[in-house]
Amino acid sequence: MSFQTVSVVGLGYIGLPTAAVFAARKKKVIGVDVNPHAVETINLGKIHIVEPDLDMVVHAAVTEGYLRATTIAEPADAFLIAVPTPFKGDHEPDLSYIESASKSVAPVLKKGDLVILESTSPVGATEQMSAWLAEARPDLSFPQTHGEESDIRIAHCPERVLPGHVLRELIENDRIIGGMTSKCSAAAVQLYKTFVEGECIITDARTAEMCKLTENSFRDVNIAFANELSIICDKLDISVWELIRLANHHPRVNILQPGPGVGGHCIAVDPWFIVSKTPEQARLIRTAREVNDSKPQWVIDQVQQAIGKHLQANSEKTAKDVTVACFGLAFKPDIDDLRESPSKAITLKIANAHPGTVLAVEPNIDKLPANMEGKVTLCDIENALRRSDVIVLLVDHKQFKCISQNSLERAERVDTRGIWN
Ligand code: SAJ
């Protein structure tokens, strides 16, 4: 089987880097996205998202003629679906993007094609995708009815790359390959071996789906443990950072770091896909989500207490005279990604409730998101330190780690990352 042309549907944080690495291996790549702005930008050799080094790889792929973007699917030998899978209602998975993507590629499918679902999905989504394709193309056979003899091969191969390190991890990480049949898996392995240097490990589609959800739930549960410890330690007047450092000296203990809550579009979402399928059984996974989701409010309460403490020590002042500076808006250190960021949510909530000035320091952006405009002032580190009465450390960006203790001393501090303690 040879894959001359590869189509990647969904040119976001996963799809675009994947399209670019295929193109860098001299595959002809057709990127498909419903967003015309993304398509135009990519065809100019530029990128509409932020990921280190991706701009160079995309620019080279487009100018050398290996990557082209379009809004309408075209024939290819393999299709990778990398569209979002958010949740809706009471944390129910929303598969509508997968459904539209399936319906957009169905008309151009031909016998022998491979369709891979890369989007993080609840168990059963790959079978559902195959059912949508079969419904649209009754003239072709699919694995759910024709097993190994099917015209179209279907697999789930979840992405597992870390934002900020996507290009390296795409190539180096091991890959889980969950074919609906063994021929489907073999075809998918052959495709990924174009650029994957890690191991391609074969399983079935349902186990591959659950594997991805398990990895992110494992991390969520472990972060919840750290976050719960931080709340317990606050009550007991113990430094949680010292505690974790000490406990981690045990050869079989490796506690993660507490923070202001869990952000991003993966870890705060994926565990719900397990909970929604098995609500009675997924008790720990649900509780971890609830613990992490409640952490931002705990931080806000700490900030209120710090404001109260400052007012007690400065009886001539009212809350209106107190300036609060929030350090960090991104969802994790050293990136500019504010999507689903607890730090951004905390800063906004403080700004909505506090009658005084609220400053935000975020060295990785030069403009605040629209919903913060007029409520929060973007400020540099020096100015924020000079002007603020209460300092809230929300993200452990490298620029914040080298701030001297002297310059922090005059303000009340809430340090959710333990870098100033
Ligand atoms: N966080 C903590 N404490 C920690 C570690 C993380 O509070 O000790 C917070 C971060 O600040 C952030 C959130 O958790 O708000 C998530 O950050 P992350 O670095 O743990 O993960 P993501 O969302 O950037 O990427 C994860 C990765 N999954 C795992 O590490 C198991 C990545 O490999 C996945 O590909 C990605 O989700 C995804 O796309 O699913």
Side-chain angles (χ1 to χ4, degrees):
M1 196 177 309
S2 80
F3 299 103
Q4 298 303 325
T5 308
V6 179
S7 179
V8 179
V9 184
L11 297 172
Y13 280 80
I14 301 302
L16 183 56
T18 304
V21 292
F22 271 119
R25 297 292 188 280
K26 310 227 176 295
K27 290 282 177 199
K28 190 171 163 237
V29 182
I30 303 166
V32 185
D33 202 288
V34 290
N35 175 357
H37 166 69
V39 167
E40 273 165 35
T41 310
I42 293 163
N43 285 334
L44 289 171
K46 297 180 179 162
I47 59 173
H48 60 296
I49 55 173
V50 178
E51 178 61 37
D53 301 333
L54 182 62
D55 50 351
M56 287 184 321
V57 186
V58 168
H59 186 262
V62 172
T63 46
E64 287 169 21
Y66 288 103
L67 171 63
R68 179 168 57 80
T70 156
T71 51
I72 295 171
E74 295 178 18
D77 305 317
F79 295 83
L80 283 92
I81 313 281
V83 294
T85 39
F87 53 61
K88 57 182 180 185
D90 185 19
H91 302 111
E92 298 292 321
D94 176 0
L95 300 189
S96 59
Y97 295 90
I98 299 180
E99 185 175 3
S100 338
S102 315
K103 289 181 176 164
S104 77
V105 303
V108 297
L109 284 183
K110 61 183 185 311
K111 188 172 167 147
D113 283 356
L114 168 67
V115 183
I116 294 179
L117 179 62
E118 280 213 2
S119 314
T120 303
S121 299
V123 173
T126 308
E127 290 159 3
Q128 175 63 74
M129 179 185 79
S130 195
W132 280 320
L133 292 172
E135 200 181 303
R137 290 298 301 270
D139 55 317
L140 291 170
S141 64
F142 288 82
Q144 64 271 31
T145 49
H146 290 69
E148 296 290 18
E149 302 317 313
S150 63
D151 292 335
I152 304 294
R153 314 252 186 252
I154 307 276
H156 180 59
C157 306
E159 62 78 16
R160 305 154 95 198
V161 289
L162 198 67
H165 302 268
V166 169
L167 286 172
R168 181 176 54 76
E169 290 211 349
L170 267 178
I171 291 163
E172 290 180 3
N173 287 3
D174 293 342
R175 195 96 203 193
I176 305 297
I177 309 283
M180 280 181 71
T181 66
S182 26
K183 279 190 181 162
C184 298
S185 298
V189 170
Q190 198 190 327
L191 178 67
Y192 282 106
K193 276 295 172 193
T194 308
F195 65 83
V196 172
E197 289 171 8
E199 210 183 321
C200 287
I201 308 155
I202 291 178
T203 181
D204 57 75
R206 291 172 73 85
T207 310
E209 288 162 344
M210 189 61 183
C211 184
K212 167 70 196 230
L213 302 180
T214 300
E215 291 158 11
N216 279 353
S217 300
F218 172 85
R219 196 152 169 87
D220 197 44
V221 168
N222 281 281
I223 298 169
F225 182 72
N227 275 334
E228 186 164 294
L229 273 182
S230 74
I231 296 169
I232 293 169
C233 284
D234 182 65
K235 281 259 175 253
L236 301 179
D237 202 18
I238 289 171
S239 159
V240 70
W241 317 103
E242 187 187 357
L243 174 81
I244 291 175
R245 201 168 55 243
L246 296 175
N248 282 349
H249 275 276
H250 186 288
R252 284 172 298 284
V253 173
N254 185 13
I255 304 169
L256 293 180
Q257 296 300 306
V262 168
H265 37 284
C266 308
I267 296 193
V269 175
D270 302 352
W272 289 115
F273 292 179
I274 300 179
V275 175
S276 73
K277 283 269 171 192
T278 51
E280 299 285 312
Q281 290 74 25
R283 292 184 298 158
L284 184 61
I285 295 171
R286 176 200 292 275
T287 304
R289 273 286 67 247
E290 287 167 354
V291 168
N292 286 333
D293 274 354
S294 67
K295 192 71 192 291
Q297 187 54 51
W298 184 83
V299 175
I300 291 166
D301 295 344
Q302 298 271 307
V303 175
Q304 295 300 353
Q305 283 173 32
I307 294 171
K309 226 166 142 189
H310 179 79
L311 286 173
Q312 246 176 19
N314 297 272
S315 52
E316 77 289 357
K317 281 190 175 180
T318 66
K320 221 166 137 291
D321 310 312
V322 179
T323 297
V324 179
C326 296
F327 278 65
L329 295 173
F331 88 84
K332 63 181 202 173
D334 306 324
I335 58 167
D336 68 344
D337 192 343
L338 309 192
R339 292 175 305 162
E340 316 298 331
S341 167
S343 311
K344 188 179 87 178
I346 289 167
T347 305
L348 249 181
K349 275 203 167 178
I350 294 171
N352 285 334
H354 179 59
T357 302
V358 176
L359 309 172
V361 187
E362 180 43 82
N364 299 300
I365 62 168
D366 33 51
K367 193 175 182 311
L368 283 173
N371 63 346
M372 295 188 116
E373 293 278 3
K375 298 175 179 168
V376 177
T377 307
L378 194 61
C379 190
D380 61 41
I381 295 177
E382 287 70 31
N383 260 312
L385 290 174
R386 194 169 37 77
R387 287 173 62 187
S388 53
D389 305 303
V390 174
I391 299 178
V392 191
L393 189 279
L394 296 168
V395 188
D396 42 341
H397 288 314
K398 59 179 188 293
Q399 293 90 338
F400 302 159
K401 288 185 181 163
C402 44
I403 294 175
S404 73
Q405 283 293 324
N406 285 350
S407 47
L408 294 167
E409 254 152 28
R410 49 170 291 278
E412 289 292 333
R413 269 177 284 164
V414 177
D415 180 356
T416 71
R417 292 287 182 183
I419 63 170
W420 291 339
N421 290 311

